[in-house]
Amino acid sequence: MVTLTIDGNEITVPEGTSIMRASMEAGIEVPKLCATDMMDSFGSCRLCLVEIQGRAGMPASCTTPVAPGMNVSTQTQRLKDVRRGVMELYISDHPLDCLTCAANGDCELQDMAGAVGLRDVRYGYDGSNHVKARDNGGINLNWAPKDESNPYFTFDPAKMHRLFAVCAGL
Amino acid sequence: MTVRIFVPKDAAALALGAERVAKALSSEVEARGIDATIVRNGSRGLHWLEPMIEVETAQGRIAYGPVKASDVASLLDAGLATGRDHALCLGKTEELPFLKSQTRLTFARCGIVDPLSLADYRAHEGLKGLERAVTLAPADIVAHVTESGLRGRGGAGFPTGIKWKTVLDTPGARKYIVCNADEGDSGTFADRMIMEGDPFVLIEGMAIAGIATGATKGFVYIRSEYPHAIATMTQAVEIAHKAGVVGTSVLGSAHAFDIEIRTGAGAYVCGEETALLNSLEGKRGIVRAKPPLPAHKGLFDCPTVINNVISLASVPIIMDKGPVYYKDFGMGRSRGTIPIQIAGNARHRGLYEAAFGLTLGQIVDDIGGGTASGRPVKAVQVGGPLGAYFPRALFDTAFDYEAFAAKDGLIGHAGIVVFDDTADMLKQARFAMEFCAIESCGKCTPCRIGSTRGVEVADKIAQGIEPEKNRELLADLCNTMKFGSLCALGGFTPYPVTSAMNHFPDDFRPVPLVEAAE
Ligand SMILES: Cc1cc2nc3c(=O)[nH]c(=O)nc-3n(C[C@H](O)[C@H](O)[C@H](O)COP(=O)(O)O)c2cc1C
Ligand code: SF4
Ligand code: SF4
Ligand code: FES
């Protein structure tokens, strides 16, 4: 077993546990998009970043295992800024369709945008994107149409906000 | 006596016409009945003088350059075969100031020997390091490398000895040595020069690494853009194998070590060690999260040393002359020598190996001779496409890992690209973002989407669209990329962008064309 401190709470977890899992055990929710219990952690969305005393940078909590005596912060201002910055990038390449979207109200992306306090997308929506079929008067080669061939779910590439996303429900 | 004339076969010399020179020389020599052999050596690294040919005389080697095929007849007329004077004569090679002031440890043989002659290699102190290593216990070899202070020359500057120790201490039925020869950084060519000019030193270094860590197999991952290096390395490995330098019994010892050459497919990110491992395994070159470290779980999940070409090629001299000899060069925590590669708009472009500690100004002005265009130097980018731009005001910075970090820069693979005062630093910042967008492995959000947005924001600044707001946005984006990215491609792209913005603010204030457009 390994004992560490997360946001001031001491917690003991089995060796090899990720910081994210340990945080959950301590009742602390770290923002996340790409980690799920169904898959090995992949570390691509970069919302679950944390700061560890004595270590440079911001490691992802889903891919970083706990270590004895570690002192982890999950909610510093620096982390909040980066998370909001990441979310702003996500939404800059996402349709503004919530009102008509099947996932509305049960959507991780929506939840996370709220959780990190994203209000404004300063990049605008005129840039390169996977959202619009036509762009700046021409065909958008990044765009692909919805796949509605399956009776149980629709796959809309424009709403695919992470690699290897689980698409059912979107 | 047969006279030896050296015509480089290095890719830089070939690009400048060395093959035509060699052909012309060989037919002229034959036609005139001169008793001469033409040796195809590596480059001495004075690229602005390539193709630089040399002739061996009783007084030492005499250099001529830059030589064109059409110069060959007049050179022979003037008495090239005996080292006589000519308009292109540069004098004794060893006396050329650019060479004479260098400290050539890693590149001691480069340009001097016939790259594919093992006899030549031995005659120039080759294999002494490996001969010593086979008599030592692995832990002692590792201790030597640790004590020498050698740090990774691929970019991160991680202590090589500590990396080796981790692999030595990690149990594994199989272990690997992977040589990173992807050399993707702009303005760098040290790896290529050593592979083409002295391939056996790399083979020797890898064999020592194998013995030190218990690895029995090595891979050299060479970028596909280096066909000549690939060919030379492939032949050199064959020769070394036949001679028993590598194989089932390294130099007759109980150690086995084999080397295989692999070719990349053109992705910059495959120089990043974990993406490289994926590529070697036949997978898409995507960055892996660390931990696990490659030293614990690397190639095919086995403990793996992954080192840059120059890191490995510096090991033989450390084993031969001892760690103290190597450590005595350098400053602070940057020990030994570093092959500085001067490129871009510099007058004297080439490779300059020196102990750490020269100032950037000495390198650019004295050694590099200022700009090729003759205009004032505006900026130099140090450390490849992810390195910071340094203005003249920072030219007192010493070439040392820590000194560069203190000025928000990095040494990287020690490439220096010089720009004159016609460079537009906003364009350079945009280019950094564009490069990142093209080369991103696509795994993580800050780099994948951020780099594309970075290009767009830079364009808005250039077009004068809400410049103040967009400058602030660009700075914010750099913060997100720097701290949010998984690897240094996305994480270090802010270095060139932020340094350009901070040191050259005027370039980010073009004449506004459009008023606030919201
Ligand atoms: C995007 C990216 C590209 C890289 N390219 C190279 C490269 O071409 N050659 C290299 O030796 N290291 C490169 N590196 C550094 C490697 O990840 C790694 O640090 C190095 O191979 C370790 O060897 P060393 O300790 O001997 O330097 C790159 C890193 C990143 C993030
Ligand atoms: S998938 Fe996108 S559009 Fe749909 S609810 Fe979520 S955030 Fe809104
Ligand atoms: S920073 Fe870029 S290159 Fe590195 S893992 Fe993320 S997407 Fe890939
Ligand atoms: S949840 Fe950790 S990187 Fe996405």
Side-chain angles (χ1 to χ4, degrees):
Chain A
M1 300 296 277
V2 173
T3 301
L4 71 158
T5 310
I6 304 178
D7 294 341
N9 308 299
E10 204 172 275
I11 171 151
T12 303
V13 292
E15 206 183 313
T17 306
S18 70
I19 294 176
M20 174 177 280
R21 160 68 49 200
S23 304
M24 282 177 183
E25 311 261 304
I28 297 164
E29 263 193 60
V30 183
K32 68 176 180 69
L33 273 174
C34 70
T36 92
D37 287 340
M38 290 179 282
M39 295 186 293
D40 284 345
S41 58
F42 189 64
S44 71
C45 76
R46 316 308 288 173
L47 279 182
C48 71
L49 305 177
V50 294
E51 290 193 88
I52 303 172
Q53 209 173 66
R55 277 200 212 175
M58 300 180 180
S61 61
C62 66
T63 59
T64 309
V66 294
M70 225 179 208
N71 190 351
V72 180
S73 305
T74 73
Q75 297 297 339
T76 66
Q77 189 55 48
R78 280 155 45 90
L79 287 168
K80 286 179 184 165
D81 289 345
V82 173
R83 286 184 190 139
R84 200 176 344 92
V86 170
M87 220 41 230
E88 187 176 5
L89 288 170
Y90 264 125
I91 302 301
S92 75
D93 189 17
H94 193 81
L96 301 165
D97 276 356
C98 293
L99 284 179
T100 56
C101 178
N104 194 9
D106 182 23
C107 169
E108 282 183 315
L109 196 67
Q110 214 177 28
D111 293 349
M112 283 307 133
V116 305
L118 181 72
R119 268 175 234 101
D120 183 19
V121 174
R122 293 168 293 169
Y123 301 104
Y125 297 94
D126 300 330
S128 164
N129 65 80
H130 297 80
V131 176
K132 301 175 211 166
R134 294 182 70 80
D135 218 10
N136 302 321
I139 291 169
N140 179 5
L141 294 173
N142 289 328
W143 181 83
K146 273 186 203 170
D147 180 348
E148 293 176 305
S149 59
N150 187 300
Y152 299 106
F153 61 80
T154 299
F155 172 54
D156 184 351
K159 290 186 182 170
M160 188 146 133
H161 53 75
R162 58 184 191 227
L163 282 164
F164 309 113
V166 182
C167 302
L170 279 195
Chain B
M1 215 186 78
T2 312
V3 57
R4 297 213 297 168
I5 304 174
F6 297 83
V7 183
K9 210 180 167 164
D10 174 278
L14 292 178
L16 292 163
E19 198 58 41
R20 285 192 298 276
V21 172
K23 283 216 178 89
L25 194 60
S26 129
S27 52
E28 278 285 338
V29 158
E30 204 187 297
R32 295 172 190 228
I34 300 171
D35 184 15
T37 30
I38 294 167
V39 180
R40 303 304 303 272
N41 58 338
S43 171
R44 294 275 199 159
L46 291 73
H47 288 164
W48 78 102
L49 295 174
E50 292 287 4
M52 186 179 96
I53 70 173
E54 292 171 84
V55 59
E56 205 165 51
T57 72
Q59 296 84 47
R61 277 157 72 155
I62 310 289
Y64 301 81
V67 175
K68 294 192 293 291
S70 54
D71 298 324
V72 167
S74 81
L75 279 164
L76 287 168
D77 290 344
L80 168 81
T82 47
R84 294 291 171 73
D85 203 15
H86 181 276
L88 293 176
C89 183
L90 303 164
K92 284 189 194 168
T93 316
E94 304 300 336
E95 297 297 324
L96 291 168
F98 190 88
L99 264 183
K100 200 177 177 185
S101 54
Q102 296 192 36
T103 305
R104 287 224 165 175
L105 304 186
T106 308
F107 281 77
R109 275 170 300 262
C110 189
I112 295 178
V113 294
D114 174 350
L116 290 174
S117 161
L118 202 51
D120 226 5
Y121 185 65
R122 274 187 190 275
H124 289 84
E125 321 266 299
L127 290 180
K128 284 191 171 170
L130 183 57
E131 275 162 1
R132 175 105 205 284
V134 294
T135 68
L136 295 176
D140 290 335
I141 306 177
V142 171
H144 266 67
V145 175
T146 306
E147 212 209 315
S148 74
L150 178 66
R151 291 166 72 176
R153 303 288 189 241
F158 188 81
T160 305
I162 295 179
K163 192 181 275 189
W164 289 19
K165 185 167 183 341
T166 311
V167 175
L168 172 64
D169 292 345
T170 306
R174 276 189 87 84
K175 297 181 186 179
Y176 294 104
I177 306 297
V178 173
C179 171
N180 188 341
D182 200 51
E183 197 162 55
D185 281 3
S186 41
T188 64
F189 39 81
D191 297 350
R192 183 186 59 65
M193 269 182 65
I194 209 88
M195 289 189 288
E196 291 175 2
D198 192 16
F200 293 121
V201 78
L202 177 57
I203 292 171
E204 186 179 350
M206 288 179 73
I208 296 171
I211 295 169
T213 56
T216 50
K217 171 102 195 197
F219 289 94
V220 188
Y221 185 93
I222 311 180
R223 64 184 313 200
S224 60
E225 295 87 341
Y226 281 177
H228 304 94
I230 294 166
T232 307
M233 282 306 301
T234 307
Q235 287 177 58
V237 167
E238 252 168 54
I239 294 167
H241 202 273
K242 276 203 188 106
V245 172
V246 292
T248 47
S249 163
V250 173
L251 292 181
S253 71
H255 299 284
F257 189 73
D258 258 314
I259 295 180
E260 200 175 313
I261 308 297
R262 291 290 187 88
T263 307
Y268 176 72
V269 78
C270 283
E272 194 283 334
E273 55 189 13
T274 61
L276 189 155
L277 294 176
N278 275 337
S279 174
L280 262 184
E281 289 177 12
K283 298 174 184 153
R284 178 178 152 198
I286 193 165
V287 174
R288 300 177 184 171
K290 286 187 277 192
L293 295 171
H296 291 134
K297 254 179 120 179
L299 188 61
F300 301 114
D301 284 346
C302 300
T304 302
V305 167
I306 173 156
N307 270 138
N308 172 255
V309 172
I310 302 300
S311 317
L312 289 163
S314 300
V315 169
I317 192 161
I318 292 169
M319 292 312 296
D320 173 20
K321 303 241 162 113
V324 177
Y325 173 82
Y326 190 79
K327 192 168 82 178
D328 267 356
F329 298 95
M331 69 174 277
R333 295 207 295 119
S334 307
R335 309 312 314 176
T337 58
I338 176 99
I340 298 163
Q341 299 132 81
I342 305 170
N345 193 345
R347 198 145 73 91
H348 298 158
R349 291 178 298 275
L351 181 132
Y352 191 94
E353 183 175 351
F356 285 94
L358 289 171
T359 66
L360 189 54
Q362 280 174 306
I363 297 169
V364 175
D365 295 329
D366 305 345
I367 300 162
T371 61
S373 62
R375 303 182 64 95
V377 175
K378 177 167 181 175
V380 291
Q381 188 178 26
V382 184
L386 311 175
Y389 288 99
F390 278 71
R392 190 166 270 288
L394 292 178
F395 275 17
D396 59 346
T397 311
F399 215 73
D400 158 85
Y401 293 106
E402 279 66 41
F404 264 69
K407 300 278 166 67
D408 289 323
L410 48 109
I411 282 183
H413 188 47
I416 293 188
V417 180
V418 179
F419 294 82
D420 74 11
D421 62 350
T422 60
D424 174 345
M425 300 312 287
L426 173 55
K427 275 195 187 145
Q428 294 307 119
R430 182 196 192 275
F431 173 73
M433 286 292 188
E434 187 188 20
F435 180 84
C436 182
I438 292 169
E439 299 296 343
S440 169
C441 84
K443 180 164 176 169
C444 72
T445 323
C447 169
R448 176 174 59 87
I449 308 181
S451 52
T452 296
R453 295 291 170 248
V455 172
E456 292 166 2
V457 175
D459 283 344
K460 285 183 192 164
I461 296 173
Q463 289 158 20
I465 300 171
E466 298 185 276
E468 205 158 319
K469 197 179 130 189
N470 279 308
R471 279 196 295 270
E472 192 185 314
L473 180 55
L474 190 58
D476 267 9
L477 172 62
C478 282
N479 185 65
T480 303
M481 289 175 72
K482 180 171 176 182
F483 293 103
S485 296
L486 171 58
C487 86
L489 180 44
F492 285 8
T493 292
Y495 275 110
V497 178
T498 316
S499 58
M501 268 201 286
N502 291 345
H503 300 313
F504 306 94
D506 291 349
D507 288 8
F508 287 75
R509 292 199 183 84
V511 191
L513 300 175
V514 190
E515 287 305 310
E518 214 174 332

